[in-house]
Amino acid sequence: SAGHLPHHRPFPPLLHARPCTLVARGMADDELLVNIDKAFWPRGVVRGLAPALRSLGDRHGGLVMAAQQTKGNIMVKGPLDQIEASKPELLRLIEEHFPDAPTPEELAPGGGIAVVEEVEELPPPPPVPTPATTPARAPAPTSAAPA
């Protein structure tokens, strides 16, 4: 037909009839942003990193992984359990492609999880006096009227 490229084929009718099914499936995905300071992004790093991220994502249940150099992060989207499972390999990729960058806190051991440290117990505060424990005061002397 006129105006179409010779190699262009229209989408099958099902995709035209129900595009929301493709959108709805991805709405429950979690997202992890691994921050790497822009100063540590070597020139042209995305060219080698992008296929490695794609391959890693495929090995972990089809995670979407993308290097976002202008934002200084690597975005990972998918089910939380798959994201967690991919973290060790993602860390190795980052160490390979960003050798001078510090370990992103999102991928550090326990990264992304709040760790509550044991705190030395403080002595209990002194008890607050209550009316029952307050010593009774003697009644104030009344001045006697002169006679």
Side-chain angles (χ1 to χ4, degrees):
S1 61
H4 285 86
L5 298 173
H7 62 278
H8 176 73
R9 290 186 181 166
F11 288 112
L14 179 61
L15 291 178
H16 286 297
R18 300 181 56 187
C20 61
T21 57
L22 298 174
V23 176
R25 189 175 67 202
M27 290 177 60
D29 287 348
D30 287 296
E31 184 175 282
L32 170 70
L33 292 177
V34 179
N35 295 300
I36 301 168
D37 192 297
K38 292 179 192 178
F40 294 107
W41 288 69
R43 186 180 192 124
V45 69
V46 176
R47 191 175 312 124
L49 184 58
L53 289 172
R54 204 171 311 117
S55 174
L56 177 59
D58 289 346
R59 286 195 307 274
H60 286 278
L63 290 174
V64 175
M65 297 185 160
Q68 300 174 324
Q69 187 169 8
T70 57
K71 294 180 180 181
N73 65 40
I74 293 175
M75 186 254 330
V76 182
K77 265 188 169 178
L80 185 59
D81 60 331
Q82 295 295 328
I83 291 174
E84 290 298 321
S86 73
K87 282 183 175 182
E89 287 180 77
L90 181 57
L91 179 58
R92 283 192 291 278
L93 267 182
I94 290 172
E95 289 170 344
E96 177 185 333
H97 291 274
F98 303 91
D100 299 326
T103 300
E105 64 184 53
E106 300 88 354
L107 299 178
I113 299 170
V115 178
V116 179
E117 295 180 13
E118 291 279 332
V119 181
E120 186 178 318
E121 210 172 297
L122 298 175
V128 176
T130 60
T133 59
T134 306
R137 294 185 182 181
T142 55
S143 55

